[in-house]
Amino acid sequence: ERSQVGQNPICYEQGADAFQSLTGANDSFLEYMLLETERLHALARRYTVPEETPFFPTRIPPPALPLADLPPLLFPTNVNLNSQIMEMYLNKVMPAVCQPGDDGHYGSSVVADVQVLQAISKRVHYGMFVAEAKFQEKEDEYSRLINEGNEEKLMELLTNVAVEERVLRRVHKKASTFGADIVEEGAAAAHSDGMKLDPEVTMQLYR
C-alpha cells in the first residue's frame, strides 16, 4: 500500500508548517499519527503483551481496561528496538519502495506508514520468543557464550541459515504473486517492470 504513493518527505519533517495545527512544533505528521494511534491502542491494553512494543512508551496512557491475567512467557526485559526500526524504515525501506517526490497524498502515506511500522515492530520483537525457545533448548551452551561475551558465536548458534533462505524464497514468491499487476483477465505480470513493487526489493529488505 505504501508503494502506491510518493515518498512525500514533508510528512517526516518535525514541525512542518503544513501540519502544525495538528502536530505542534516538535512532531512530524507521521509521529503525530503514530502517537495518537498508540494512545488509543494503549487504552485497550495493546502494549501489555510482550510482542507489542510502543514507539512512544513514555507518552502513552495506562490501559483503561482491566489487565488480562496472562502467564509470563519471557524472561523480564525492557527491550525496545523501535527507534532503530523507525530509522531503518525512513532511511532504507520507504525510499526503496516509493517513488521520490511529493504527490500530495500525505494522509495515505502516513496511514500506510503506521501500519507497516507496527507490523515490522511486532515481527522483530517476536524474535524474543524465538531466542527464549532456543535458549531453553541449549541453555548451557548459550549461557557459556553469554558469559564469554562471544557475540559472533551466539549469532551463529541462533541463526538457522537454511530456514532463513526458505523464508526469503517464500517472501519473493509472495511478493511476485501479490505485487503483480493484472495485465489481462486471469493473468499476472511476469516481469518486475509489470510489478507494483519489485519482489527482489522486498526480499532484500527482509535480509
Side-chain angles (χ1 to χ4, degrees):
E1 290 298 322
R2 183 63 183 88
S3 67
Q4 302 307 299
V5 294
Q7 291 184 16
N8 297 318
I10 195 173
C11 296
Y12 314 108
E13 296 175 12
Q14 292 180 326
D17 290 342
F19 309 116
Q20 273 204 22
S21 60
L22 278 176
T23 66
N26 297 320
D27 289 334
S28 68
F29 189 31
L30 169 61
E31 288 169 335
Y32 169 80
M33 291 290 285
L34 180 55
L35 173 58
E36 293 304 314
T37 300
E38 289 195 341
R39 282 174 169 163
L40 178 61
H41 292 182
L43 292 172
R45 66 188 183 201
R46 176 174 185 170
Y47 302 110
T48 62
V49 293
E51 71 270 21
E52 296 285 4
T53 306
F55 283 81
F56 301 98
T58 64
R59 298 175 67 184
I60 58 175
L65 298 176
L67 296 181
D69 185 16
L70 300 174
L73 300 176
L74 294 172
F75 187 83
T77 178
N78 59 358
V79 171
N80 188 331
L81 300 173
N82 282 337
S83 60
Q84 296 97 308
I85 290 170
M86 177 69 81
E87 182 180 1
M88 176 198 68
Y89 178 76
L90 293 180
N91 294 316
K92 294 183 179 180
V93 177
M94 190 271 292
V97 303
C98 298
Q99 292 297 317
D102 186 320
D103 60 13
H105 293 293
Y106 306 139
S108 297
S109 298
V110 296
V111 167
D113 288 332
V114 168
Q115 293 173 339
V116 174
L117 283 165
Q118 289 184 326
I120 293 174
S121 175
K122 186 172 184 176
R123 184 176 182 89
V124 167
H125 288 97
Y126 260 132
M128 292 187 294
F129 290 92
V130 177
E132 180 77 13
K134 289 188 175 184
F135 177 84
Q136 292 180 7
E137 285 180 357
K138 299 180 179 180
E139 186 170 344
D140 290 342
E141 191 169 358
Y142 276 105
S143 296
R144 177 178 58 80
L145 293 173
I146 290 169
N147 291 330
E148 292 173 358
N150 194 331
E151 294 184 15
E152 183 178 351
K153 290 296 183 182
L154 273 170
M155 288 306 300
E156 288 180 8
L157 190 59
L158 277 169
T159 303
N160 188 321
V161 176
V163 170
E164 290 193 355
E165 288 300 321
R166 287 201 299 272
V167 169
L168 289 171
R169 289 196 296 271
R170 287 201 301 270
V171 167
H172 190 283
K173 185 173 183 179
K174 286 184 177 181
S176 300
T177 301
F178 295 109
D181 280 323
I182 304 302
V183 293
E184 61 183 54
E185 187 174 352
H191 304 288
S192 62
D193 57 2
M195 296 286 182
K196 299 174 187 174
L197 179 62
D198 187 345
E200 287 292 331
V201 171
T202 307
M203 188 176 72
Q204 289 304 318
L205 291 173
Y206 263 77
R207 287 189 185 275

